[in-house]
Amino acid sequence: MTTETTTTTATTVTTTDAARGARRLRGLRTRFLLAYVGLLTLATLASVLVGREVLRAQLHDRIEQDLRQEVTELRRLARGIDPATARRFGPRVDRVFRVFLQRNVPAASEAFVTFVDGRPFLRSRAVVPYRLDRDTRLTARWGRLEAPERGRVETPAGTVEYLGVPLRAGGRTRGVFVVAQFSDRLEAQLRPALNAVGGVALAVLLFGSLLAWRLAEGVLRPVRSVTGTAREISETDLTKRIPVQGADEIAALAATFNAMLDRLEAAFGAQKRFLDDAAHELRTPVTIIRGHLELLGDDPQERRETVELVTDELDRMARLVNELLLIAKAERPDFLRLETVDVGDLTEELLAKARAMAPREWRPAGTGRGVMVADRQRVTQAIVQLADNAIRHTRNGDAIEIGSAVAGDEARFWVRDQGDGIPLDQQEAIFERFARGDGTRADGSGLGLAIVRAIAAAHGGRVELDSRPGQGATFTVIIPMDQP
């Protein structure tokens, strides 16, 4: 049994290693390296081949020039004066060949062959790998030339490039001059240069491959860091971050990924706090209801009081659930029902509704003029919520102002009270869900101001607060006049 377990474990490890090796072979660095090395190899081969062909083309150009140069010198000599007689050569081509071979020494891979009356006459004395004047096939062909011939033949010593020209006198061909180049010997002189080019190309290939491997490693290391960090992240641990080094695209990627993690950590933290607060807010009325129901007796008066208390707690739970649903719906595209709204008429309606909410000294504080695109009911809900918040922190007869204004492309609605005010360190926190401050500005379920901000944000607007402890508070809802 132990042996089977060990075998299974070893097989699993081997399979895992094989899978990891296969992933490594299919990895981005491997593909990048293969593509780079393949391209570099093709470029290197192309460079070597092109270089070889260029050198060979130059070699053949040189052979052509050498062949024509020797023929040109022979013809110039044939039109000149015989140094032995101080007269023109005339029909004696044998004399032309003798003087030419005495004056001209062929190159190491070059040979001169002459023919008089169709038979081999004289040849150059330079040592060549093959005696052309003894090749019956070539002598029979060259001895009968009646016109210049440029060609190439294969010999036991390799390829021979030649140029044959007949010399005519008295209306007929008297002799033939052939200059030949053993091109294989010349090409052999190119091999050291080609070998040097190939060696340099191979060194560049190896160095380039190593450099590509290191560059790929440097480029992909941050990417692997992103992958590793992403694997280590869980719903309960979003503290991992990627080190940002340099100022290139990879560093920008790491910074962007870290910023995303910051937002996710903040979002998850807010969600966790929200769930904890929601559970706490719902747990309290459930506990109250259960406790009273468990202690419920047979006395009618006690039953009536218990029912009233339970009903009140259920109403509070229903309101809390409705407010949570409202905040959740605020991010949906169908949250708003847009229409054209007259800012002045809406301000008057808001003031009239607020007067029926509580006995306060409700004052108009300005009326904006203009037409905006908004959800009338949602805007009304936000301002009424602010009015309810002001009522909670004022007493009967205290003044509360409601006003509006249009400035540029924004409409502003505000509610100003003369209550206790809000400390500066709490002015941002009171807009969070279930936030109630330190008790000086309790907000019922703690969702009222969060709803106001959600409605403003759904319109593409915002909420501003101007308050000091003991000097009241002014909440302003700012909404764009037009919606995207």
Side-chain angles (χ1 to χ4, degrees):
M1 189 69 177
T2 303
T3 303
E4 293 179 359
T5 303
T6 304
T7 304
T8 304
T9 303
T11 303
T12 303
V13 172
T14 303
T15 304
T16 303
D17 293 341
R20 189 174 302 164
R23 286 196 302 270
R24 189 179 296 113
L25 289 177
R26 295 193 301 266
L28 182 59
R29 181 172 66 173
T30 302
R31 296 200 303 270
F32 171 79
L33 183 64
L34 289 177
Y36 181 84
V37 172
L39 180 61
L40 187 59
T41 302
L42 290 177
T44 302
L45 290 176
S47 300
V48 173
L49 293 177
V50 170
R52 187 185 70 175
E53 293 303 317
V54 169
L55 291 176
R56 293 184 65 181
Q58 292 177 350
L59 173 64
H60 288 292
D61 288 342
R62 197 184 84 183
I63 291 175
E64 188 72 24
Q65 291 176 2
D66 290 345
L67 293 177
R68 295 189 180 280
Q69 179 181 356
E70 299 297 344
V71 171
T72 301
E73 291 180 0
L74 177 68
R75 287 175 173 172
R76 185 183 303 115
L77 176 64
R79 293 193 297 268
I81 303 297
D82 186 348
T85 62
R87 296 179 181 178
R88 291 186 176 276
F89 286 101
R92 296 193 59 187
V93 297
D94 57 336
R95 184 60 185 167
V96 174
F97 291 153
R98 288 181 183 279
V99 174
F100 180 83
L101 293 177
Q102 291 173 358
R103 291 183 175 182
N104 293 273
V105 179
S109 59
E110 193 175 49
F112 302 147
V113 181
T114 61
F115 298 85
V116 176
D117 295 329
R119 294 187 299 274
F121 180 56
L122 296 176
R123 64 176 180 85
S124 57
R125 298 297 180 182
V127 178
V128 291
Y130 183 67
R131 288 286 297 271
L132 300 175
D133 59 318
R134 294 180 179 178
D135 190 318
T136 57
R137 177 175 58 91
L138 294 179
T139 55
R141 177 177 180 177
W142 290 342
R144 297 195 302 268
L145 288 180
E146 295 293 333
E149 181 179 285
R150 173 72 172 87
R152 175 184 302 174
V153 294
E154 296 296 331
T155 69
T159 303
V160 173
E161 304 263 355
Y162 70 89
L163 176 60
V165 292
L167 293 183
R168 300 177 65 84
R172 67 184 184 88
T173 300
R174 301 284 185 173
V176 176
F177 174 76
V178 177
V179 55
Q181 287 273 8
F182 289 83
S183 58
D184 288 349
R185 298 186 69 181
L186 293 176
E187 289 186 2
Q189 299 174 6
L190 299 179
R191 290 195 184 98
L194 293 175
N195 292 336
V197 172
V200 172
L202 181 60
V204 170
L205 178 61
L206 295 177
F207 179 76
S209 301
L210 179 61
L211 181 62
W213 179 268
R214 297 300 300 272
L215 288 176
E217 174 67 20
V219 169
L220 297 179
R221 186 183 300 112
V223 177
R224 288 200 302 271
S225 180
V226 172
T227 304
T229 303
R231 288 174 179 169
E232 295 176 1
I233 292 172
S234 65
E235 184 177 349
T236 57
D237 183 13
L238 294 172
T239 59
K240 300 292 184 180
R241 295 296 183 270
I242 301 171
V244 179
Q245 299 177 351
D248 54 7
E249 291 79 0
I250 300 299
L253 172 63
T256 303
F257 190 80
N258 289 340
M260 180 189 69
L261 291 179
D262 292 338
R263 294 192 297 271
L264 288 176
E265 185 177 12
F268 275 106
Q271 182 186 46
K272 185 177 183 301
R273 290 192 300 271
F274 170 71
L275 293 176
D276 293 341
D277 293 338
H280 173 74
E281 293 294 332
L282 292 174
R283 188 182 300 114
T284 300
V286 169
T287 302
I288 294 174
I289 293 172
R290 175 179 294 175
H292 281 81
L293 290 178
E294 289 176 352
L295 299 175
L296 181 63
D298 296 330
D299 183 23
Q301 178 64 26
E302 182 182 354
R303 284 177 172 273
R304 186 166 46 253
E305 292 176 354
T306 300
V307 169
E308 290 178 356
L309 185 145
V310 169
T311 302
D312 182 67
E313 289 299 318
L314 289 174
D315 291 341
R316 187 161 71 90
M317 289 179 63
R319 177 185 176 188
L320 181 62
V321 171
N322 290 332
E323 289 177 344
L324 290 174
L325 289 175
L326 177 64
I327 294 176
K329 291 179 180 179
E331 298 180 358
R332 292 172 47 178
D334 59 348
F335 178 66
L336 301 179
R337 297 181 179 179
L338 300 176
E339 59 180 313
T340 56
V341 179
D342 185 276
V343 176
D345 294 343
L346 179 60
T347 305
E348 294 176 0
E349 292 176 9
L350 294 173
L351 188 60
K353 291 180 180 180
R355 287 193 174 106
M357 294 174 63
R360 299 291 188 271
E361 184 181 348
W362 298 96
R363 298 176 182 174
T367 302
R369 300 300 177 187
V371 176
M372 68 176 184
V373 176
D375 187 325
R376 176 186 291 270
Q377 293 183 358
R378 296 300 186 193
V379 175
T380 300
Q381 183 179 6
I383 304 304
V384 168
Q385 180 64 52
L386 292 177
D388 180 71
N389 184 67
I391 292 171
R392 292 175 181 273
H393 305 290
T394 56
R395 296 179 295 274
N396 290 344
D398 288 348
I400 301 178
E401 297 179 355
I402 295 180
S404 65
V406 175
D409 58 353
E410 293 180 336
R412 307 170 71 91
F413 298 88
W414 64 83
V415 176
R416 181 181 297 117
D417 63 61
Q418 298 176 353
D420 300 327
I422 306 170
L424 289 175
D425 58 350
Q426 297 183 17
Q427 291 186 8
E428 179 62 27
I430 62 173
F431 289 98
E432 300 294 334
R433 290 168 290 194
F434 300 111
R436 295 188 179 87
D438 60 357
T440 59
R441 294 291 293 197
D443 185 25
S445 65
L447 294 173
L449 294 179
I451 292 174
V452 173
R453 185 166 66 174
I455 293 175
H459 283 86
R462 61 191 184 279
V463 181
E464 293 181 353
L465 170 60
D466 182 15
S467 178
R468 295 291 185 277
Q471 300 180 10
T474 301
F475 290 86
T476 304
V477 177
I478 303 172
I479 297 176
M481 294 293 288
D482 197 5
Q483 297 296 314

